[in-house]
Amino acid sequence: MTESSLSEKTIAVVGMARTGMACARVLVDLGATPILFDRKNPHELGRELGEAKRLGVEARVGHPGVDFDGIDLLIPSPGVPATAHMFKDAVARGVEVVSEIELAYRIAKAPIIAITGTNGKTTTTVLTGRMLQADGREAYIAGNVAAGDIGVPLVTAAHKASADGVIVAEISTFQLEWITSFKPKVAMLLNIGADHIDRHTQEEYAALKVRIFEHQTGEDYSVINLDNEPVRSRTEDVGGHKLYFSRKENVEHGAFIDGERVVVRIGDTETVACSITDIRLPGEHNQENVLAACLGAIAFGVRPESIQKALHEFTGVVHRMEWVAKIGGVDYINNSMCTNVEAFVRSVEAVNGRPVVIAGGKHKGGDLSPLAEVVSSRAKHLVLIGASVDEIEEAVRATGFGDITHAADMNDAVAKASLVAESGDTVMLAPGCASFDMFRNFEERGEVFKAAVRHRASTGQGD
């Protein structure tokens, strides 16, 4: 499928959120006829329905099904499980189902760097894009990036980018469910941990992550975390030219830390990409993100001085270890993107001293003992909010740790954390859970946390 082959096709787009509306805009521009479907009621979709009307696109809302009469192609929302009846019906009717990233790949002129993993995707995606941009490249930061206004949907970038450009895209597990030819020039798998157990088994989840390499050939690069055993054991047979990154080992092909240097070896070329002191992001996990980003950048010919410039200017993205304020000598850190247990562990370990941690939300399933153990060994106090407070508290108390407080909402959580924190301490929002029990998404959760902190700062409550 190319841009021209979409002309005059009728395409069902399921879901009228950010990705669905982006698909509709691109499809209209390519001469296709998209029809939008969404189970939400019209009063919940005012802005989206207004845009659909301006585009001249039909929208069928308020019911969960899809009418397949006259439909040539179905593009699902990542939020709808692959087991949903509509997809079985589509396959039975001979209607091809492809994800937004598959559509994007089919119309893209520019090569794609695709990045997935349980944790670190957004930071690595944005950082890789910044390295390319610092080198003067036409680089688009795209995909599942949720970092303010930094990124665009992959289908949008694919439509805009010229053949001389590069698209750096964050790819989610759900987006990999419906691919048939998606073949990034560089594919990165940063890590595999426990996540989305409410939708997949751990084995299913891991298998989906590895699909990012599925269609690669020897002319492509497969970037693999040598230090993550689930990644290492599942990527022996990938088709791309394998490049490894490791904090612990010198690697023959890839990126590693040699003393104070980040070294990259691709083919016969060895490059000192940067110094460890150039990395301003806290935590060993961010060293891994930098190693992966350096590999992606150097694979596209980015010069070391451009990498160093990008690292010097890059202090992280919103909702990821984001410093908010210092009040009464206490630092407040927003890490609302921390939505699973592994991210929680890495976040707490990245903070100097013993932080006061605000955690909780809707636990997505899996073992809570690593969260409990790092709280017991590294935290000063734990403030819990959300639907899973009892489950988390039980796991933490089983370690013998008892400095736990419940809070009614985020404002209450910040107030109670502030009472415990002393000058020199850190109060960190690191939920370790999904946000949907109390907020629309993790971005809203982070903004509410920052507003609560800034209110304290403006009223002098911490002084």
Side-chain angles (χ1 to χ4, degrees), residues 119-130 133 141 144-151 170 280-282 285-286 289 310-311 313-324 333-338 442-443 446-447 450 454:
N119 296 303
K121 297 184 295 295
T122 294
T123 296
T124 306
T125 300
V126 176
L127 181 54
T128 305
R130 292 285 187 256
Q133 291 167 351
I141 297 170
N144 199 47
V145 175
D149 297 326
I150 290 175
E170 176 180 336
R280 302 176 66 188
L281 306 173
H285 63 292
N286 275 317
N289 296 336
L311 285 170
E313 295 174 351
F314 186 74
T315 57
V317 295
V318 65
H319 306 304
R320 280 87 170 163
M321 300 299 287
E322 178 189 11
W323 183 86
V324 180
I333 304 293
N334 167 31
N335 198 30
S336 184
M337 178 54 181
C338 165
F442 75 82
E443 294 97 332
E447 293 301 328
K450 291 192 289 185
R454 288 165 179 159

Side-chain angles (χ1 to χ4, degrees), residues 3 8 21 59 101 140 151 153 176 210 255 297 314 319 356 388 394 417 431 448:
E3 289 188 351
E8 300 181 3
M21 296 307 296
I101 66 169
Y140 291 80
L176 290 164
V210 176
F314 186 74
H319 306 304
V356 178
S388 299
E394 182 181 0
V448 171

Side-chain angles (χ1 to χ4, degrees), residues 106-348:
R106 295 184 187 187
I107 68 171
K109 305 178 194 70
I112 297 171
I113 300 175
I115 300 166
T116 196
T118 303
N119 296 303
K121 297 184 295 295
T122 294
T123 296
T124 306
T125 300
V126 176
L127 181 54
T128 305
R130 292 285 187 256
M131 291 175 177
L132 286 156
Q133 291 167 351
D135 208 51
R137 304 294 293 272
E138 175 198 347
Y140 291 80
I141 297 170
N144 199 47
V145 175
D149 297 326
I150 290 175
V152 297
L154 180 52
V155 71
T156 303
H159 187 42
K160 287 183 175 181
S162 74
D164 294 328
V166 182
I167 300 168
V168 188
E170 176 180 336
I171 305 297
S172 75
T173 310
F174 303 147
Q175 291 171 311
L176 290 164
E177 287 184 306
W178 294 104
I179 59 170
T180 57
S181 62
F182 180 69
K183 190 173 85 78
K185 182 65 179 176
V186 176
M188 300 185 191
L189 180 49
L190 303 178
N191 44 64
I192 297 175
D195 201 6
H196 298 298
I197 306 301
D198 52 345
R199 180 152 156 177
H200 302 292
T201 67
Q202 184 62 27
E203 184 57 37
E204 290 169 341
Y205 171 75
L208 282 170
K209 285 295 187 195
V210 176
R211 290 200 73 191
I212 198 166
F213 304 118
E214 188 167 300
H215 301 288
Q216 286 192 302
T217 64
E219 63 185 13
D220 306 311
Y221 291 109
S222 304
V223 177
I224 295 163
N225 186 348
L226 199 61
D227 299 339
N228 185 265
E229 178 54 33
V231 172
R232 186 172 184 164
S233 63
R234 286 175 170 84
T235 52
E236 293 179 356
D237 299 323
V238 300
H241 180 72
K242 287 187 280 190
L243 298 175
Y244 297 98
F245 64 93
S246 173
R247 288 187 300 103
K248 303 172 183 177
E249 304 178 31
N250 285 14
V251 297
E252 186 175 353
H253 300 289
F256 61 95
I257 295 173
D258 180 16
E260 292 298 310
R261 307 182 308 160
V262 172
V263 178
V264 175
R265 292 177 183 151
I266 298 180
D268 297 327
T269 303
E270 179 172 303
T271 304
V272 177
C274 64
S275 168
I276 290 295
T277 57
D278 292 323
I279 302 172
R280 302 176 66 188
L281 306 173
E284 292 180 343
H285 63 292
N286 275 317
Q287 291 181 4
E288 295 178 4
N289 296 336
V290 169
L291 289 171
C294 287
L295 272 175
I298 288 179
F300 274 85
V302 172
R303 295 165 297 168
E305 54 266 35
S306 299
I307 289 174
Q308 293 153 19
K309 180 177 187 293
L311 285 170
H312 178 73
E313 295 174 351
F314 186 74
T315 57
V317 295
V318 65
H319 306 304
R320 280 87 170 163
M321 300 299 287
E322 178 189 11
W323 183 86
V324 180
K326 183 185 285 287
I327 308 173
V330 176
D331 287 306
Y332 289 78
I333 304 293
N334 167 31
N335 198 30
S336 184
M337 178 54 181
C338 165
T339 61
N340 58 60
V341 170
E342 183 174 337
F344 179 92
V345 172
R346 290 183 168 213
S347 301
V348 174

Side-chain angles (χ1 to χ4, degrees), residues 422-461:
E422 301 173 300
S423 181
D425 286 344
T426 298
V427 171
M428 179 170 62
L429 173 64
C433 294
S435 58
F436 304 123
D437 56 333
M438 299 173 69
F439 305 96
R440 291 192 302 273
N441 46 47
F442 75 82
E443 294 97 332
E444 182 187 42
R445 177 170 63 191
E447 293 301 328
V448 171
F449 170 78
K450 291 192 289 185
V453 171
R454 288 165 179 159
H455 177 73
R456 294 188 67 81
S458 67
T459 58
Q461 289 176 281

Side-chain angles (χ1 to χ4, degrees), residues 1-2 5-6 9-15 19-20 23-24 26-27 30 32 35 66 68 71-82 86-91 94-107 154-155 171-183 199 211 215:
M1 181 188 296
T2 61
S5 68
L6 287 167
K9 298 284 187 183
T10 301
I11 300 172
V13 179
V14 178
T19 298
C23 286
V26 170
L27 289 168
L30 295 177
I35 301 175
V66 174
F68 290 107
I71 298 297
D72 299 303
L73 188 71
L74 174 66
I75 302 173
S77 163
V80 181
M86 75 173 71
F87 303 135
K88 295 177 182 177
D89 292 344
V91 172
V95 175
E96 186 182 14
V97 181
V98 302
S99 65
E100 175 252 349
I101 66 169
E102 174 69 23
L103 173 67
Y105 171 72
R106 295 184 187 187
I107 68 171
L154 180 52
V155 71
I171 305 297
S172 75
T173 310
F174 303 147
Q175 291 171 311
L176 290 164
E177 287 184 306
W178 294 104
I179 59 170
T180 57
S181 62
F182 180 69
K183 190 173 85 78
R199 180 152 156 177
R211 290 200 73 191
H215 301 288

